[in-house]
Amino acid sequence: MITKPHFAFFDEGSKKEIRRATLKAVAIPGYQVPFASREMPIARGWGTGGLQLTLSLIGKDDVLKVIDQGADESVNAVSIKKLVRHTTGVSVTEDTAEANIIQSRHRIPEKQLREDQILVLQVPNPEPLRKVEAREYLTKRMHAEDDYSGAWLLLFEQIMKYGRMSTGAEHPVYVNGGYMMTPSPIPRFDNPKMHQSKALILLGAGREKKIFAVPPYTDVKSLAFDDYPFAVESFEGKACKLCGSTDVFLDEIIDPDTGERSYQCNDTSFCMEHLNAREKEEVENSYV
């Protein structure tokens, strides 16, 4: 016998507990709030933290967008959308502007978010001091004492070894001048998008059972030295081969037969929107 699941999978008590943790995270920007991470029909490490946030917040009139590595069509993104749609019946979209809840892994959309939107980020490793200290009770004490010397030392070692900060993702940030936070596994390119963001940004780590947040219009500053300022990945002289965009995060594509290198927008929705707009403009110009 097939029984009808609860709306948004969880019972109401579970959703209330996650919402309470979320409210505390919003009230204390950057602080990692423990929560009772539930068992999910997907394995921990595959986005259960973000999915639990989405399921606790979503309503019948909401529109959901899910992206993974910038793509709407990846296996993980499609599977999460199917689960949410099956248990809620809400509409899903690939257009960033149409969605009011956007769940993402590894990227913040290229299109600027609005005040009425919520960005949910899936987080594998929420603790920025974990590489410095393995014990949870000591990292909590270090946060309380504003003792982030270990994180600074890691960046200093990168400069000594490579001549620059070589953080590929998870480059730590200060939130609201208080707590140090790891901004999910997003590339450095996306760190500036968190600063004074109009949208509420929620970060969930299901395996580590933590929720933290960046409220709208909050200062987010990436760690950097005065003589080695923070810099995002550079794509100077490169453009998307499909839509021609130059000021976005690009994926490098190597042709296996010829070895030729080309570049393409990582955010597939943004790329298609610009590509369609360019083709429309070309058609209109041809008629003129």
Side-chain angles (χ1 to χ4, degrees):
M1 182 177 69
I2 299 177
T3 59
K4 187 176 180 180
H6 287 286
F7 178 82
F9 187 75
F10 293 127
D11 60 273
E12 292 305 310
S14 295
K15 284 187 276 192
K16 286 180 181 178
E17 192 272 336
I18 298 172
R19 290 174 192 147
R20 283 194 293 266
T22 303
L23 287 172
K24 184 174 181 179
V26 173
I28 314 174
Y31 174 70
Q32 300 170 49
V33 181
F35 80 109
S37 181
R38 270 68 179 175
E39 293 293 334
M40 301 290 295
I42 60 174
R44 283 177 176 164
W46 290 88
T48 57
L51 182 55
Q52 289 179 75
L53 281 169
T54 297
L55 292 172
S56 70
L57 298 171
I58 201 163
K60 294 181 179 180
D61 298 327
D62 288 324
V63 179
L64 175 69
K65 173 182 170 71
V66 182
I67 56 178
D68 180 12
Q69 299 274 19
D72 296 85
E73 306 84 7
S74 69
V75 173
N76 195 37
V78 171
S79 298
I80 289 175
K81 278 187 284 192
K82 283 184 177 179
L83 173 61
V84 177
R85 192 170 190 181
H86 174 68
T87 57
T88 63
V90 300
S91 300
V92 296
T93 183
E94 295 183 0
D95 188 344
T96 302
E98 290 181 358
N100 55 350
I101 297 180
I102 303 167
Q103 181 173 331
S104 174
R105 184 171 80 102
H106 291 193
R107 286 305 314 280
I108 294 177
E110 300 291 354
K111 180 175 286 188
Q112 188 178 35
L113 302 180
R114 306 185 307 270
E115 292 178 340
D116 62 335
Q117 293 179 307
I118 298 175
L119 174 64
V120 178
L121 291 174
Q122 304 167 199
V123 183
N125 302 306
E127 180 53 71
L129 299 172
R130 187 61 68 222
K131 294 180 181 178
V132 179
E133 176 54 64
R135 291 167 290 186
E136 179 73 11
Y137 77 95
L138 284 182
T139 56
K140 282 184 173 292
R141 180 186 298 176
M142 294 165 75
H143 280 289
E145 297 175 350
D146 197 20
D147 180 10
Y148 297 130
S149 56
W152 286 103
L153 180 60
L154 290 176
L155 295 180
F156 178 75
E157 288 176 345
Q158 292 175 8
I159 293 172
M160 291 295 99
K161 188 173 183 179
Y162 304 109
R164 58 182 175 83
M165 289 182 288
S166 58
T167 314
E170 297 181 330
H171 188 97
V173 296
Y174 271 118
V175 182
N176 201 35
Y179 285 96
M180 181 182 290
M181 185 189 84
T182 179
S184 176
I186 63 174
R188 296 196 313 275
F189 191 90
D190 287 345
N191 273 24
K193 298 177 185 177
M194 305 186 83
H195 177 67
Q196 291 291 313
S197 169
K198 294 181 181 179
L200 168 63
I201 302 175
L202 302 176
L203 304 97
R207 184 173 50 199
E208 301 295 326
K209 304 179 181 180
K210 299 287 181 59
I211 291 172
F212 46 112
V214 178
Y217 300 105
T218 298
D219 288 338
V220 177
K221 183 179 180 182
S222 300
L223 265 66
F225 298 96
D226 291 340
D227 52 345
Y228 283 88
F230 174 78
V232 301
E233 294 88 343
S234 175
F235 298 99
E236 186 178 356
K238 302 175 178 66
C240 175
K241 67 176 183 179
L242 297 178
C243 70
S245 297
T246 57
D247 55 348
V248 297
F249 191 85
L250 299 173
D251 289 333
E252 183 181 57
I253 301 173
I254 302 177
D255 190 302
D257 298 323
T258 65
E260 182 182 357
R261 297 173 185 267
S262 60
Y263 295 87
Q264 189 171 321
C265 291
N266 176 265
D267 188 335
T268 56
S269 174
F270 178 88
C271 186
M272 290 303 298
E273 182 179 337
H274 272 241
L275 182 62
N276 292 335
R278 191 178 70 177
E279 291 181 349
K280 181 180 179 180
E281 183 180 356
E282 290 175 354
V283 170
E284 290 176 349
N285 290 339
S286 67
Y287 278 112
V288 172

